[in-house]
Amino acid sequence: MKTSCNLIISCLFFIFFSFLIISISTESNLHITPSATTYTNFTYTESTQNTTFPQSQPYAIDIQFYDNGTTLIHLVRDDPNTNNTIHCLEPILRIRIIHLNRTVTEINKYLDIDPVVNYCLFNDASTGKMMNPISIRPLKEPFILVSYVNTTNPSNYEDWVTVINWNGEKLSSRSLGQSYYDANKTWSPKSLIEININKELGFLRSVPDIKGNFEFINCTQYLM
Ligand SMILES: *[C@@H]1O[C@H](CO)[C@@H](O)[C@H](O)[C@H]1NC(C)=O
Ligand SMILES: *[C@@H]1O[C@H](CO)[C@@H](O)[C@H](O)[C@H]1NC(C)=O
Ligand SMILES: *[C@@H]1O[C@H](CO)[C@@H](O)[C@H](O)[C@H]1NC(C)=O
Ligand SMILES: *[C@@H]1O[C@H](CO)[C@@H](O)[C@H](O)[C@H]1NC(C)=O
Ligand SMILES: *[C@@H]1O[C@H](CO)[C@@H](O)[C@H](O)[C@H]1NC(C)=O
Ligand SMILES: *[C@@H]1O[C@H](CO)[C@@H](O)[C@H](O)[C@H]1NC(C)=O
Ligand SMILES: *[C@@H]1O[C@H](CO)[C@@H](O)[C@H](O)[C@H]1NC(C)=O
Ligand SMILES: *[C@@H]1O[C@H](CO)[C@@H](O)[C@H](O)[C@H]1NC(C)=O
């Protein structure tokens, strides 16, 4: 089971990213050599039933793994009605869970959040990178941590997280504090959420914080 899972994962990397797999030898001189990788194909057909934009190709914008290889794919479809200045996505959270037995569970969820803020890619002027305000992270099985921006108070956006299970049911949610605003008081989604390497210790959030001419990084650990 474990081996076949690794094969599926390798294959996914090849399909989506053409990833270079390196293995580090256990000898003391630590040669880095590419491993001979065998891979199998995994095919899954996305239905066009559950989308308003069946003509928009689905994209995998993130891939995350549980410790035993169960895989989360974050899928999006472009909203073709948006103009060139702003790149927006269909406002549905789509997660595909690839189980070790190769079955796929679909989550297609309407979160009750501001679509213009959460489902439009943010062009970070300082780095030139496009940021997606929504992220997904694998907690312990069968839970998924979803982060987003809550705009209930328009002058003070907040970073929030919600925990859903593999049935897409919302189990809990909470604010993590103010979202990042740059020195010009312009909102800019810069916080990062990462699962602690020891999953028993929950997750970490880091966000820059400006004080005078200095920028600090606030890092907070959250327990589940
Ligand atoms: C995977 O699919 C591609 C495209 O259909 C094909 O060229 C390739 O041979 C397949 N690889 C394996 C290992 O089946
Ligand atoms: C559409 O989404 C719903 C809810 O996730 C799911 O029950 C249904 O099977 C989906 N239909 C198709 C055709 O994928
Ligand atoms: C994956 O690992 C978790 C915890 O280690 C376990 O609870 C779960 O049953 C495993 N899943 C599968 C499909 O083996
Ligand atoms: C593009 O769309 C955004 C958001 O809907 C809107 O604010 C902006 O005015 C539009 N720009 C043009 C050139 O239509
Ligand atoms: C595949 O694994 C998942 C998760 O462990 C389980 O819920 C599902 O019933 C399994 N499906 C089959 C066909 O074995
Ligand atoms: C957004 O914040 C409001 C006020 O704190 C809260 O009542 C609401 O549940 C939050 N919405 C989401 C989707 O988290
Ligand atoms: C703030 O605005 C000024 C003037 O428009 C600009 O030069 C500066 O780069 C902006 N700073 C940030 C962090 O965007
Ligand atoms: C960073 O932490 C300080 C001290 O706890 C707090 O006052 C500040 O609001 C935090 N900044 C952000 C952006 O979360």
Side-chain angles (χ1 to χ4, degrees):
M1 186 63 88
K2 187 105 196 190
T3 314
S4 72
C5 128
N6 287 338
L7 289 178
I8 296 167
I9 300 321
S10 307
C11 134
L12 278 169
F13 270 117
F14 269 89
I15 291 170
F16 291 113
F17 287 139
S18 302
F19 218 72
L20 176 65
I21 304 208
I22 53 173
S23 67
I24 299 175
S25 95
T26 49
E27 290 161 37
S28 55
N29 51 3
L30 287 174
H31 288 300
I32 300 176
T33 51
S35 73
T37 308
T38 27
Y39 62 95
T40 55
N41 282 340
F42 179 84
T43 307
Y44 182 70
T45 306
E46 264 297 295
S47 165
T48 50
Q49 303 287 305
N50 266 340
T51 173
T52 317
F53 310 119
Q55 72 279 26
S56 293
Q57 181 189 331
Y59 292 102
I61 55 165
D62 197 10
I63 304 180
Q64 299 278 327
F65 304 99
Y66 289 91
D67 288 343
N68 56 15
T70 302
T71 302
L72 297 178
I73 311 278
H74 187 179
L75 273 193
V76 297
R77 283 180 191 267
D78 281 345
D79 177 347
N81 299 326
T82 54
N83 57 41
N84 291 332
T85 24
I86 181 164
H87 186 146
C88 296
L89 311 169
E90 185 178 19
I92 300 177
L93 175 66
R94 294 179 192 282
I95 301 173
R96 304 292 173 260
I97 306 161
I98 305 179
H99 300 287
L100 300 181
N101 58 17
R102 308 188 74 157
T103 61
V104 175
T105 303
E106 291 200 3
I107 296 175
N108 302 301
K109 201 169 171 56
Y110 293 91
L111 295 170
D112 187 17
I113 51 178
D114 184 333
V116 175
V117 167
N118 283 285
Y119 289 99
C120 294
L121 299 181
F122 182 89
N123 193 354
D124 186 330
S126 62
T127 62
K129 287 186 181 156
M130 300 298 268
M131 303 285 293
N132 185 352
I134 297 185
S135 73
I136 62 164
R137 294 286 179 266
L139 292 166
K140 284 185 285 188
E141 292 194 20
F143 304 115
I144 304 170
L145 184 73
V146 180
S147 69
Y148 54 93
V149 178
N150 188 326
T151 57
T152 307
N153 178 350
S155 60
N156 185 12
Y157 289 179
E158 288 185 0
D159 292 339
W160 277 59
V161 282
T162 190
V163 175
I164 59 174
N165 62 18
W166 285 356
N167 297 324
E169 293 156 348
K170 188 170 162 175
L171 304 175
S172 69
S173 59
R174 66 161 291 143
S175 170
L176 304 182
Q178 192 191 46
S179 202
Y180 178 75
Y181 285 78
D182 70 18
N184 293 338
K185 306 268 183 278
T186 304
W187 172 71
S188 176
K190 277 191 200 296
S191 68
L192 290 176
I193 308 271
E194 290 302 340
I195 301 300
N196 204 311
I197 196 148
N198 177 349
K199 292 195 176 190
E200 300 300 324
L201 296 177
F203 66 94
L204 300 158
R205 175 209 188 216
S206 70
V207 61
D209 185 35
I210 295 172
K211 283 201 179 70
N213 291 328
F214 295 97
E215 193 172 85
F216 297 87
I217 302 284
N218 275 7
C219 193
T220 314
Q221 174 171 305
Y222 292 86
L223 301 174
M224 308 302 298

